Structures are given as structure tokens and as C-alpha cells.
Amino acid sequence: MSKVAVFGAGYVGLVTGACFADLGHEVVIADILPERIAALRAGEVPIYEPGLDVLLERNRERLSYTLDVAEAVSGAEFLYIAVGTPPTYSGDADLSAVWTVVDSLEGVAGRAVVVMKSTVPVGTGEKVRHRLDARGLEHVGYASNPEFTAEGTAVRDFQHPDRIVIGAFEDADAEAVAELHSGIEAPIVRADVASAEMIKLAANAALMTRISFINEIANVCEATGADVVSVAEGVGLDRRIGSSFLRAGIGYGGSCFPKDSLALKQLAANSGYHFQLLNAVIEVNELQKRRVIGKLQQHLGGLRGKTIALLGLAFKPHTDDVREAPSLVLAGRLVAEGAEVRAWDPVVHGADVLPQATILGSPLAALDGADAAVIVTEWPELADLDWARAADLMRNPLLIDGRNLLDPRALRAAGWTYDAIGRASA
Ligand code: UGA
């Protein structure tokens, strides 16, 4: 069993740390936020990620938390970097948190391996290598081991991945990182460091491309009288295409896709290449988030003085993450149009998330007296709602189903004027 230090107690760091502890390793998780470390030490989980609480509790003996880098580094064979890499003003990835960790590493004994879990531009590993060497840490190894976990299913994704990607400068380091994963059944893809970094960016870009593709197909379906749900089913059964990431909706959000698409676009641009397809994917997504406004206007005329209920705030179900969530864009646009915005979400409660909206405690409370409702996040609670009762509460029972969650016929039978994404004929 190994000793693993994980830098960053966010979604990625906590899941990585908890899953390594569950494999039997001794894990210390370091962060710079005292309140976060205090909460973790007290047995509280500072984020909502299904299964994480159980894992942290089950492996309490093997997990510790610290603010002290030296304590984390002491005796660690693996130094996992899992800090945020948000976009800068220019769209490039902000690596300042990564550099803070790299520059704080001291007293690393033996051949510990620095492992990059954070999503970084291609070429970062090379730069980290130079920086470590310049600081007299030539004996420390370096590997890229990108994460492919999705929020809401991160624990399962970590424990049952499609593949484990490892890129290292030295074979022995790649082998050590592979060994650290023993107990997880998955093909291991060994690559050079730059390719491992690019695999992560390319995988996310491919998924985003599928989403923007199906969203454009949805928009053409609307214009031509086809139903995108049937179309996606028929297209997805082609084994060469596959059915995942073909759900049309109001666009992708979250802490990864929007920032990673910008980072890849900038990475290409900085190297003198205009990534035309990726630019289109990003633009389609921006327009898609705004299409709901057009639909509301079509049905209601102007939105000034109208009360609109947003159902779901998180960027996807089973997470409390609202980073780049379509709900934020929608709320902003609705307020700009003069509408009054109400919102409900089962796990996002803080009014600070959406100060322009009134946050209510149940879907029915949000719908009571509203002129229209929008399904923004496909929470299971919404699939199970008593929609006939909900229609009676509305001033005007208009529902825009931004995630194609519900059965159009059932909703119309329940008294709703029902509109969705790309479902003209449904
Ligand atoms: C994504 C990837 O799926 C992970 O593999 C990757 O590790 C992660 O980014 C990351 O880079 O860290 P995540 O953003 O957590 O994970 O969630 P997804 O389930 O991929 O959803 C992203 C967005 O796409 C959501 O807004 C979702 O609503 C949207 N989406 C997804 C669609 O609109 N249609 C689909 O068919 C699928």
C-alpha cells in the first residue's frame, strides 16, 4: 500500500483521495482553506457528490486532512495535484493554483511522483518538469493522469473507469502510477505526457461536439416537424455512433466543458491554429442557452412583469455545482427582459447563487401563480411531480421542458401548454 498526498479538496481531489483510500492506500488531503479542512476533520463533506460521504466515512482511518504542505509531503510516494484551473480573462487556463502547489513542494524524499489530475493545457507537464529540476527536485518523478469522472457519478466513474490514462517521462513512474490503481479493472493507456494531456482535452471536446451537434439537429427538427428524441434514438443505435451524449437540451454547462473548450481553443490559437469546429461548438452552445427565452416570448409575447419559474439550478442533476449553469444565463436574460424570476432546486438553496431570483422550497411553491415554468435541470423529482395539480396552481400553465424530461402527451393531458427542445411533432 502507498502513501498518497492529494492537493486540493474540491470535487476532483476529494473523490480521488477517497477512492485511493478505499483501495487501501493511506491518503492525506491538503487544501489552503482552513474552513474546508476543519469541516472534513469534523466528518462533514463540504460538497454534494453521491457516495462520497460513505466512502470518506468508511475509510476514516486511512484519511487525514491538512493545511500544511510539509505534513502532506512527508513520506508520500505520490503527490497528486487536483486544484482548480479556471479560465483567465483571455480564456487560457489559470494555472496559478498548480504553480503554488509545485513551488511549495519541499523535502520530497526518495522518488516520489508528482501526478497531475487537474486539467491543464498540453505542455504543462514539460513546464512543471523544468520547474522541479530548477528547484533541485530532479529526483522527483512526474506523470499526467487525467480524470474522466463526471460530477454526480464521480465515485462510480473513478472506481469503474473506461480507461486509465498515464503519461510519464520515465517508464518507472508510469508503472508506479499504474500499480497505485491496482484493484480497478480498466485498460491502461500509456502515452507520452503531452498526449496524455491532449487525451483529456480531446475527450471533453468530442463530448461537447456531440451535444452541440444534437442540439443543432434538434433546432432543425423544430423547424421541419421531426422529433429529436426519436431521431437521437435511431441515430444512437448505430454502433459506430453510439447513444450517449445525444440528449438535446438547453446546452452544456458545468465546471469542465465551458472552461476546457475555451482552454483548448486558446491552446490551438496560441500555437497558430484556428480550431474552427470547436469555435462552432462553443457558439452553438451559447445560442442554445438563449433559445428558451425566444420560446417564452413566442408564447407570452413580452416578458416584462411576467413571473417565470426555473426548475433546477445545478448544471446537471445529482450535483450542487452551479458553475456555468444554464440557469444563471437564463435568469440573467429573464431579469433583463423585465421578468420576475423564481427558482427551485433540491440541493442548491443559497440565495447568493442567484440573487436576482426568489428561491423557493418546492417545485409547487415555485409554480404557484407563475406565468410559465422552465425545466432547466432534469432532477428526478420533476419527473415524479403531480403535473395536473401543478397546472392548477399556475396563472398560465405553460411549460418549456429544456431537457426533454417529460412525456409531451401526458403533460398536455394534464392541462399544460407544453413545449420542449426539438420536439415539433411530439
Ligand atoms: C464532464 C465529462 O463528462 C467528464 O468525463 C470529465 O471528467 C469532466 O467533464 C471534467 O472534465 O472534469 P461533467 O461536466 O461533470 O463531466 O458532467 P457531464 O455529465 O459530462 O455533463 C456536462 C454537461 O453536458 C451538462 O450541462 C449536461 O447537462 C450536458 N449534457 C450532457 C447534455 O446537454 N446532453 C447530453 O447528452 C449529455
Side-chain angles (χ1 to χ4, degrees), residues 12 49 117 119 146-154 157 163 200 203-204 207-208 210-212 214-215 243-260 285 314-317 319 321 323-326 376-378 402-403:
V12 173
E49 182 62 47
K117 203 62 172 157
T119 301
E147 59 96 19
F148 300 100
T149 57
E151 285 178 26
T153 54
D157 295 345
R163 76 304 206 187
K200 164 69 189 192
N204 272 4
L207 294 170
M208 287 179 260
R210 286 176 70 96
I211 298 172
S212 281
I214 200 67
N215 281 337
S243 60
S244 57
F245 278 74
L246 282 184
R247 276 180 290 114
I250 51 176
Y252 59 76
S255 61
C256 305
F257 285 175
K259 106 176 149 61
D260 290 353
N285 196 58
F315 82 97
K316 62 182 246 181
T319 179
D321 200 339
R323 283 177 286 178
E324 300 288 332
V376 184
T377 317
E378 63 277 37
R403 298 291 181 178

Side-chain angles (χ1 to χ4, degrees), residues 199-257:
I199 288 171
K200 164 69 189 192
L201 297 177
N204 272 4
L207 294 170
M208 287 179 260
T209 303
R210 286 176 70 96
I211 298 172
S212 281
F213 167 75
I214 200 67
N215 281 337
E216 289 219 281
I217 293 288
N219 300 342
V220 180
C221 283
E222 264 174 35
T224 54
D227 176 15
V228 75
V229 174
S230 304
V231 172
E233 186 191 354
V235 169
L237 282 169
D238 185 325
R239 263 178 297 172
R240 295 167 302 175
I241 299 172
S243 60
S244 57
F245 278 74
L246 282 184
R247 276 180 290 114
I250 51 176
Y252 59 76
S255 61
C256 305
F257 285 175

Side-chain angles (χ1 to χ4, degrees), residues 4-273:
V4 183
V6 178
F7 295 91
Y11 287 89
V12 173
L14 284 176
V15 170
T16 303
C19 290
F20 278 139
D22 207 47
L23 287 172
H25 303 299
E26 196 190 319
V27 176
V28 50
I29 299 180
D31 203 290
I32 53 166
L33 297 175
E35 61 279 11
R36 188 153 275 224
I37 293 301
L40 286 160
R41 281 181 178 155
E44 291 158 27
V45 187
I47 54 166
Y48 176 78
E49 182 62 47
L52 181 61
D53 49 351
V54 176
L55 222 55
L56 291 174
E57 177 57 31
R58 186 161 79 209
N59 296 290
R60 220 172 25 180
E61 309 275 275
R62 279 190 288 274
L63 277 162
S64 59
Y65 307 96
T66 187
L67 290 163
D68 184 358
V69 175
E71 186 186 325
V73 166
S74 166
E77 293 143 80
F78 297 92
L79 304 160
Y80 263 84
I81 301 182
V83 294
T85 51
T88 57
Y89 196 68
S90 61
D92 294 277
D94 177 357
L95 297 181
S96 52
V98 168
W99 292 124
T100 303
V101 174
V102 171
D103 291 341
S104 68
L105 298 177
E106 263 169 38
V108 188
R111 186 157 185 95
V113 187
V114 171
V115 192
M116 188 62 72
K117 203 62 172 157
S118 303
T119 301
V120 293
V122 181
T124 303
E126 193 73 44
K127 289 183 185 150
V128 175
R129 182 68 270 164
H130 283 133
R131 196 114 148 199
L132 290 171
D133 293 349
R135 293 186 50 234
L137 293 169
E138 296 95 341
H139 62 287
V140 174
Y142 181 87
S144 161
N145 172 215
E147 59 96 19
F148 300 100
T149 57
E151 285 178 26
T153 54
V155 170
R156 192 195 67 200
D157 295 345
F158 193 100
Q159 294 177 329
H160 306 282
D162 291 345
R163 76 304 206 187
I164 296 165
V165 173
I166 305 170
F169 295 111
E170 302 288 338
D171 282 347
D173 295 334
E175 272 147 34
V177 174
E179 181 65 27
L180 184 68
H181 289 80
S182 24
I184 297 179
E185 283 300 312
I188 291 187
V189 178
R190 291 269 298 269
D192 58 84
V193 173
S195 302
E197 292 166 341
M198 184 55 106
I199 288 171
K200 164 69 189 192
L201 297 177
N204 272 4
L207 294 170
M208 287 179 260
T209 303
R210 286 176 70 96
I211 298 172
S212 281
F213 167 75
I214 200 67
N215 281 337
E216 289 219 281
I217 293 288
N219 300 342
V220 180
C221 283
E222 264 174 35
T224 54
D227 176 15
V228 75
V229 174
S230 304
V231 172
E233 186 191 354
V235 169
L237 282 169
D238 185 325
R239 263 178 297 172
R240 295 167 302 175
I241 299 172
S243 60
S244 57
F245 278 74
L246 282 184
R247 276 180 290 114
I250 51 176
Y252 59 76
S255 61
C256 305
F257 285 175
K259 106 176 149 61
D260 290 353
S261 56
L262 282 182
L264 181 53
K265 174 182 155 165
Q266 287 313 330
L267 178 73
N270 296 343
S271 337
Y273 185 71

Side-chain angles (χ1 to χ4, degrees), residues 227 229-230 375 378-380 382-388 399-421 423-426:
D227 176 15
V229 174
S230 304
I375 296 185
E378 63 277 37
W379 282 104
L382 296 174
D384 299 337
L385 197 71
D386 180 346
W387 285 99
L399 179 64
I400 312 290
D401 184 350
R403 298 291 181 178
N404 292 343
L405 175 70
L406 305 173
D407 174 18
R409 265 179 248 162
L411 265 285
R412 288 182 190 123
W416 287 86
T417 301
Y418 176 87
D419 199 351
I421 308 293
R423 310 207 65 184
S425 66

